[in-house]
Amino acid sequence: MFTLIIRSIIIYFLVLLVFRLMGKRQLGQMQPFELVLTLILADLATIPMSEISVPLIHGIVPLLTLLVVHYVITILTRFSTRLSEIISGKPVIVINQNGIDYKAVKELNLTIDDITEALRSAGYFSIDEVLFAIMETNGKISVLPRSDNSPVLRKDLKIKSKENSLPVTLISEGRILKNNFQQIKCSKEKVMKYINSLNIKIKKILIFTLDNNGQVYIQEMHKRGETIQTELKG
C-alpha cells in the first residue's frame, strides 16, 4: 500500500510538471496534436500508478518522451507554415459577405446547426449580424461583426463609417506568409516597399496585418504595436 502511495505521488507531480512545461492553454484552446498528447499522457500515467509489477521508470520515460515530442512539434510548426497546416489545420472562413460558405462547412464536417450554435455562444443570434466568421484550428469560432452591430452601434449615433474589414496576417514571427498574399489585392512588392520605408527588418516583425481599408497593424518583437492608416489596399 505504501508503495502505491509513493508511486502515485511521484507520477502525479511528474504529470503536473509535464503539463506546466507544455504551457497554459485550456483544454478547449488546445491544438489537435496537443489534445492527442494530453489523452495519451493521462492513459500512460495510470499504468505505473496502479500496476506495481510495472517498473516506475517504464512510466516516467514515456511521459518525458512525449514532452520532448511536444516541444519538437511546436518548434517545427513555428518555423514551417506548411507543416503547421498539416498537423493543426488552418483557420477556415465559414461565413463571409455572402452568408454561410456551405462548401467550407461541409469540408469541416460540420452542420449548419453547429455554426449557428457557435455563433450564439459568441453572442450573435442572427447571421445578418456577422460579416465574417472563422473556424479556428482549436475548434473555436471567431466573429467579425458588421459595423452596424458592433458593441457601440454607430447607426444609433447616426455616424457613417466604413464597413469593417477582415485583417490578413502577412508576416508572423519574422516569417512572410506567402499564401496569404493571395487573399489581398495589394501586391507583395508594395507591402515590402512599405515595410522598407519604415526601416524595419522582416525578421524583427512579430506580426503585420493589412485590411481592405488600408489599415495596417504592425508590432516589432519586444515592442509595442501600432495601427497605421496607409494607402495600401488589402
Side-chain angles (χ1 to χ4, degrees):
M1 180 64 70
F2 182 73
T3 303
L4 275 176
I5 294 174
I6 296 300
R7 289 165 69 97
S8 298
I9 292 174
I10 292 174
I11 293 298
Y12 169 78
F13 281 106
L14 179 59
V15 173
L16 180 61
L17 175 63
V18 169
F19 274 99
R20 289 288 292 162
L21 292 176
M22 283 177 61
K24 294 186 176 181
R25 291 186 183 179
Q26 297 177 1
L27 187 61
Q29 298 174 319
M30 286 184 176
Q31 297 297 336
F33 76 92
E34 293 174 318
L35 181 58
V36 170
L37 280 173
T38 300
L39 295 175
I40 296 175
L41 286 172
D43 192 47
L44 284 174
T46 59
I47 298 174
M49 289 175 66
S50 58
E51 297 290 340
I52 298 180
S53 59
V54 178
L56 187 59
I57 192 68
H58 288 186
I60 294 176
V61 171
L63 290 174
L64 296 180
T65 300
L66 288 179
L67 176 61
V68 174
V69 170
H70 172 267
Y71 267 108
V72 170
I73 293 177
T74 301
I75 292 172
L76 290 176
T77 54
R78 183 179 299 167
F79 290 100
S80 174
T81 304
R82 179 59 179 167
L83 183 61
S84 177
E85 292 178 357
I86 293 174
I87 294 177
S88 300
K90 60 181 180 180
V92 177
I93 297 176
V94 292
I95 296 180
N96 53 37
Q97 301 99 318
N98 299 320
I100 295 176
D101 188 332
Y102 187 66
K103 182 179 178 181
V105 170
K106 285 301 179 183
E107 288 178 353
L108 292 172
N109 198 26
L110 297 172
T111 65
I112 301 302
D113 289 340
D114 293 329
I115 299 300
T116 54
E117 181 181 345
L119 289 178
R120 290 194 296 272
S121 298
Y124 298 92
F125 290 81
S126 172
I127 296 175
D128 289 339
E129 300 176 48
V130 178
L131 182 63
F132 285 99
I134 303 173
M135 185 62 66
E136 305 292 357
T137 56
N138 59 12
K140 298 290 185 179
I141 195 167
S142 301
V143 178
L144 178 69
R146 295 185 180 277
S147 58
D148 287 344
N149 291 284
S150 298
V152 177
L153 301 181
R154 294 178 180 270
K155 65 178 181 180
D156 293 339
L157 302 176
K158 297 182 179 180
I159 298 176
K160 293 184 179 180
S161 62
K162 294 181 179 179
E163 187 64 277
N164 286 337
S165 177
L166 184 67
V168 177
T169 302
L170 302 179
I171 299 175
S172 176
E173 296 184 85
R175 293 180 295 116
I176 298 174
L177 306 181
K178 297 179 181 179
N179 293 339
N180 287 4
F181 279 89
Q182 300 174 4
Q183 303 176 29
I184 63 173
K185 299 176 183 178
C186 187
S187 67
K188 178 182 175 182
E189 289 72 22
K190 287 184 178 180
V191 174
M192 294 299 107
K193 184 178 179 181
Y194 173 76
I195 293 175
N196 289 333
S197 69
L198 300 176
N199 294 320
I200 300 176
K201 294 182 179 179
I202 300 295
K203 63 181 181 180
K204 296 291 185 181
I205 297 177
L206 180 63
I207 186 170
F208 180 96
T209 68
L210 173 67
D211 66 16
N212 283 333
N213 296 324
Q215 187 166 281
V216 162
Y217 179 84
I218 184 170
Q219 181 178 352
E220 293 183 72
M221 296 180 182
H222 309 299
K223 292 187 178 180
R224 185 176 181 178
E226 61 176 328
T227 300
I228 308 172
Q229 187 62 46
T230 72
E231 297 299 322
L232 301 174
K233 295 299 179 182

